[in-house]
Amino acid sequence: MQRLELPSHIATRVGRQVFLNETGGDRDMITAWNAAEDFMSLGIGHFIWFPAGLNTRFQESFPKMLSFMRANGAKPPQWLDKDPTPPCPWPTRAEFQRAFRAQQMSGLRAFLHDTVGLQVQYLVARMNEALPKIVASLDSQAERDHVTAQFRRVAHASRDLYPLIDYINFKGEGIAPTETYPNKTTGVPEGWGLKHVLLQMKGTSPERDAVLGEFADAAGYVLKRRIRNNPPNKRWEKGWLKRTESYRRPLD
């Protein structure tokens, strides 16, 4: 599939919306640590960053984003300007909170605010890399053809590519075996990434509103399925579904 590109003014708009989705627009929240999580989140897409030794089902995303930015000319603070990316220096949420206004984290926030454009470029690059990874993870040719067709439907219907860019950042490609919960009835592992959204889509219409509505419905379905399989996630249901509803229409 031809590489998808975004004009810079549209990419900026998408990045602003992703940041709004993740933080509510609070500039301080470009570095955050949610109460229910074992890791911090940072950047416009709340890329996750693990402290040393953390064992979790989720995939770390901040080191890849930082490597992309460094390769494209960004200069992070000296303590972070290393390859490979060091582990998160704050091992617990309590230590993160104590250090929130200290020089090290304040400098990190300044760096992240100064590199919003590169972070958006990373999100676009990740979106372009998603389809080959998803296709390679599928077992049958029928599924591969189906997912490719649905991805193309969404890309064609969405001039700003926002639904694809945001959902991949929000819940990932869906290719990690660890990012699943067993179905409460059958025990079959079920995921919630972009792969699972595209598998859930069944339509063929190229009409924009139909495609975007179907994508929003499928995203809501796999997230509600995740909540059924892991009920503690219900605390996030309202925010998750509000986010998936934003996929129904192009960004203004």
Side-chain angles (χ1 to χ4, degrees):
M1 182 173 176
Q2 183 179 1
R3 188 172 181 83
L4 301 170
E5 304 289 348
L6 280 184
S8 59
H9 69 286
I10 295 179
T12 299
R13 194 178 305 155
V14 171
R16 189 181 303 124
Q17 184 62 44
V18 172
F19 181 66
L20 187 65
N21 290 345
E22 294 287 357
T23 69
D26 184 341
R27 286 179 59 84
D28 276 351
M29 290 294 289
I30 207 163
T31 57
W33 191 312
N34 294 329
E37 294 176 336
D38 298 322
F39 44 79
M40 76 174 290
S41 305
L42 62 167
I44 63 168
H46 269 191
F47 309 100
I48 62 177
W49 191 18
F50 296 162
L54 179 66
N55 183 20
T56 178
R57 72 174 62 244
F58 302 106
Q59 285 194 309
E60 191 175 32
S61 53
F62 176 67
K64 291 179 181 178
M65 191 273 288
L66 183 63
S67 294
F68 175 91
M69 293 204 300
R70 291 176 69 230
N72 284 276
K75 291 297 292 181
Q78 186 174 3
W79 61 270
L80 190 55
D81 194 10
K82 299 176 181 178
D83 189 18
T85 300
C88 175
W90 304 284
T92 66
R93 184 169 184 261
E95 291 182 62
F96 167 87
Q97 291 174 319
R98 282 195 293 271
F100 195 80
R101 297 295 176 191
Q103 182 177 358
Q104 187 177 20
M105 201 182 309
S106 295
L108 176 58
R109 279 195 294 276
F111 165 70
L112 293 167
H113 281 298
D114 286 346
T115 55
V116 167
L118 277 176
Q119 293 174 59
V120 174
Q121 288 183 37
Y122 172 75
L123 293 176
V124 174
R126 185 177 178 188
M127 183 268 299
N128 271 296
E129 294 165 2
L131 183 59
K133 292 178 180 179
I134 292 171
V135 168
S137 75
L138 294 166
D139 294 330
S140 74
Q141 189 60 46
E143 285 186 331
R144 292 190 284 271
D145 291 345
H146 177 81
V147 160
T148 299
Q150 297 300 338
F151 186 99
R152 287 174 172 166
R153 283 182 73 217
V154 179
H156 181 75
S158 177
R159 186 173 66 93
D160 53 37
L161 301 173
Y162 163 66
L164 294 170
I165 291 171
D166 186 72
Y167 197 85
I168 293 165
N169 177 67
F170 176 36
K171 291 302 178 192
E173 293 91 346
I175 59 177
T178 55
E179 291 188 343
T180 61
Y181 290 117
N183 182 287
K184 288 289 187 181
T185 301
T186 66
V188 173
E190 293 178 326
W192 50 81
L194 179 64
K195 174 173 78 173
H196 306 95
V197 175
L198 297 174
L199 285 169
Q200 183 61 32
M201 294 176 69
K202 307 300 181 188
T204 58
S205 168
E207 195 272 324
R208 187 196 71 185
D209 290 348
V211 177
L212 298 183
E214 188 182 346
F215 184 87
D217 288 341
Y221 175 87
V222 300
L223 291 174
K224 286 186 281 189
R225 184 177 68 188
R226 170 174 163 169
I227 291 166
R228 288 197 302 272
N229 293 337
N230 189 52
N233 285 173
K234 191 167 180 64
R235 68 173 78 102
W236 292 310
E237 182 175 22
K238 183 177 179 181
W240 286 357
L241 297 183
K242 179 181 178 182
R243 189 164 182 164
T244 61
E245 283 297 299
S246 73
Y247 302 149
R248 293 186 185 277
R249 57 195 177 278
L251 297 177
D252 293 331

